[in-house]
Amino acid sequence: MIRGSESDSWSRLGPLTFDEGTTAQAQVYARLRDALISGYFRPGEEISLRRASTALGTSVTPVREALRQLESDGGLEVFGGNRVLRVPVLSEAELIDIRDIRINLESLAAAQALDGIGPSQMRLISNACTVMQRAADTGDADLYLESNWRFHSLIYRAAARPILMGVIERMWLRVGPLIRLAVTAPNHFGRSMESHRAAELALRERDASALQAAIIRDISDAASDLGRTLRDYGPAKTAGKA
């Protein structure tokens, strides 16, 4: 059974504890970006400025600027005659485009990350993989998706290629909401964890080819499930109001 509440998306956001040295806008943006990547919100769901500011415990100004940046990044879109801000609903053509971009960029980042992953980073990556497995075993979709992004981002950031990482993040920003629906696909957790365990082993063995193959398989399998989700649900079924 897949667990994970759609009704508590906003409560899971915050409130934020703001850190000195970083602007409120940057912190709000990072939180909302990670929430979209981790599938807190469904495709087609409207994102309210005031509701977001209430959930995060901040004024509307940094939230407004963060939402504008997320729109610029492709994570949100203006929709309809009322010009509401919502989570985009991808077409199959867009999904295929994103899949192909991800395969090329993420396999590149993974291979280049090998030299930057030492024992401490490896422990963090392994921990994320272990948490993912526990979430898969219990059907906890929320925990799984959060740990999935953590696992991948820990690997890719070790490549120390900030522009490359930025593009990868924008691709995840586009597909994150749809992945939240796709985890219900038969055997999704099992196939995904096979790829993650293979990637973890390849990292330990310093095998770039095996690591790239595991990442490519993970992305390809997920894209297949995402494609079926699009066909089964469609824009009318994935949409929802915040």
Side-chain angles (χ1 to χ4, degrees), residues 86-188:
R86 73 169 193 175
V87 179
V89 180
L90 298 178
S91 67
E92 286 197 61
E94 289 172 322
L95 181 59
I96 291 170
D97 203 13
I98 291 171
R99 178 202 64 191
D100 292 345
I101 293 169
R102 288 187 60 203
I103 282 173
N104 283 280
L105 296 190
E106 292 180 39
S107 61
L108 170 65
Q112 296 199 352
L114 278 178
D115 291 339
I117 296 176
S120 60
Q121 290 92 340
M122 195 66 228
R123 283 193 295 271
L124 292 173
I125 292 167
S126 294
N127 175 261
C129 197
T130 298
V131 174
M132 261 195 298
Q133 184 66 67
R134 184 166 67 246
D137 292 341
T138 59
D140 189 334
D142 295 335
L143 180 60
Y144 187 88
L145 292 172
E146 290 170 0
S147 302
N148 182 40
W149 169 238
R150 182 167 174 259
F151 177 85
H152 284 272
S153 62
L154 282 167
I155 296 172
Y156 304 150
R157 285 198 175 98
R161 299 282 297 272
I163 296 176
L164 175 60
M165 188 66 203
V167 179
I168 289 171
E169 285 180 344
R170 285 193 288 277
M171 294 300 101
W172 277 69
L173 192 60
R174 298 292 300 274
V175 298
L178 190 58
I179 291 175
R180 178 63 183 81
L181 300 177
V183 295
T184 59
N187 302 317
H188 178 88

Side-chain angles (χ1 to χ4, degrees), residues 4-220:
S5 170
E6 295 168 6
S7 62
D8 68 345
S9 300
W10 293 98
S11 64
R12 291 164 60 206
L13 274 180
L16 279 176
T17 301
F18 291 98
D19 300 323
E20 293 184 5
T22 306
T23 66
Q25 178 196 335
Q27 293 178 66
V28 169
Y29 169 82
R31 189 71 188 98
L32 290 172
R33 178 202 62 198
D34 288 351
L36 287 163
I37 287 173
S38 298
Y40 283 25
F41 304 106
R42 295 162 62 88
E45 185 170 354
E46 294 178 18
I47 303 299
S48 162
L49 170 63
R50 295 196 178 278
R51 191 166 187 183
S53 63
T54 299
L56 293 168
T58 186
S59 68
V60 297
T61 300
V63 176
R64 182 184 292 111
E65 295 305 315
L67 292 178
R68 285 175 180 167
Q69 187 175 351
L70 287 166
E71 182 189 350
S72 177
D73 290 344
L76 296 173
E77 66 179 5
V78 175
F79 178 78
N82 294 330
R83 295 187 60 78
V84 298
L85 200 61
R86 73 169 193 175
V87 179
V89 180
L90 298 178
S91 67
E92 286 197 61
E94 289 172 322
L95 181 59
I96 291 170
D97 203 13
I98 291 171
R99 178 202 64 191
D100 292 345
I101 293 169
R102 288 187 60 203
I103 282 173
N104 283 280
L105 296 190
E106 292 180 39
S107 61
L108 170 65
Q112 296 199 352
L114 278 178
D115 291 339
I117 296 176
S120 60
Q121 290 92 340
M122 195 66 228
R123 283 193 295 271
L124 292 173
I125 292 167
S126 294
N127 175 261
C129 197
T130 298
V131 174
M132 261 195 298
Q133 184 66 67
R134 184 166 67 246
D137 292 341
T138 59
D140 189 334
D142 295 335
L143 180 60
Y144 187 88
L145 292 172
E146 290 170 0
S147 302
N148 182 40
W149 169 238
R150 182 167 174 259
F151 177 85
H152 284 272
S153 62
L154 282 167
I155 296 172
Y156 304 150
R157 285 198 175 98
R161 299 282 297 272
I163 296 176
L164 175 60
M165 188 66 203
V167 179
I168 289 171
E169 285 180 344
R170 285 193 288 277
M171 294 300 101
W172 277 69
L173 192 60
R174 298 292 300 274
V175 298
L178 190 58
I179 291 175
R180 178 63 183 81
L181 300 177
V183 295
T184 59
N187 302 317
H188 178 88
F189 283 148
R191 289 196 309 274
S192 182
M193 284 312 303
E194 284 181 5
S195 296
H196 291 135
R197 289 297 185 191
E200 181 188 17
L201 179 61
L203 284 168
R204 293 189 181 281
E205 296 182 345
R206 321 299 291 178
D207 187 334
S209 295
L211 176 59
Q212 289 183 303
I215 294 295
I216 291 170
R217 184 175 68 185
D218 184 39
I219 295 169
S220 299

